[in-house]
């Protein structure tokens, strides 16, 4: 059974930082895969933030977080992280990690429907 568990969310003031973690277990379909971070604000659609390919650590970011967020991984521990700096109020939302069902070219568009396995999410609230 594939399981993704996010942690590290919380409340922070604008300009602050948070580090989210995603623990992956039970995924045995391939040695390497693409992981993504998404967020969803109340009343809005789920938005893709970043992806990482576990084999090469190749990354991709959506424009709104470039230069502020960093996705990374510890392959041995099957952990994926999202370091979030210079947080803004518009970063508020539920943050999810997910495993993509295809190669990097397929996943880079950060379309939620292309991601097969999802965690339950961790809430991030940024106050101005």
């Amino acid at each position: 059974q594939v399981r993704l568990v996010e942690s590290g969310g919380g409340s922070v003031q604008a300009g602050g930082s948070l580090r989210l973690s995603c623990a992956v277990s039970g995924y045995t379909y391939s040695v390497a895969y693409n992981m993504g971070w998404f967020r969803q604000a109340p009343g809005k659609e789920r938005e893709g933030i970043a992806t990482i390919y576990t084999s090469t650590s190749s990354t991709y970011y959506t424009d709104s977080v470039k230069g502020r967020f960093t996705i990374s991984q510890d392959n041995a521990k099957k952990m994926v992280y999202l370091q979030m700096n210079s947080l803004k109020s518009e970063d508020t939302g539920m943050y999810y990690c997910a495993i993509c069902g295809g190669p990097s070219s397929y996943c880079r568009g950060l379309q939620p429907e292309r991601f097969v396995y999802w965690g339950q999410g961790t809430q991030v609230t940024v106050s101005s």
Side-chain angles (χ1 to χ4, degrees), residues 34 50-51 53 58-62 100 103-111 114-115:
N34 285 278
T51 62
Y53 185 50
S58 175
T59 60
Y60 174 82
Y61 299 90
T62 193
C100 185
S104 296
S105 57
Y106 179 77
C107 307
R108 201 162 288 142
L110 288 166
Q111 296 166 280
R114 295 185 174 185
F115 287 74

Side-chain angles (χ1 to χ4, degrees), residues 39 47-50 61-70 82 91 95:
R39 66 185 176 194
E47 174 193 20
I49 299 171
Y61 299 90
T62 193
D63 287 345
S64 62
V65 305
K66 280 181 182 176
R68 300 190 299 125
F69 290 11
T70 302
L82 186 68
D91 295 319
Y95 282 67

Side-chain angles (χ1 to χ4, degrees), residues 8-12 18 20 84 93 122-126:
S11 297
V12 65
L18 282 173
L20 306 184
M84 305 187 296
T122 185
Q123 178 67 37
V124 171
T125 302
V126 184

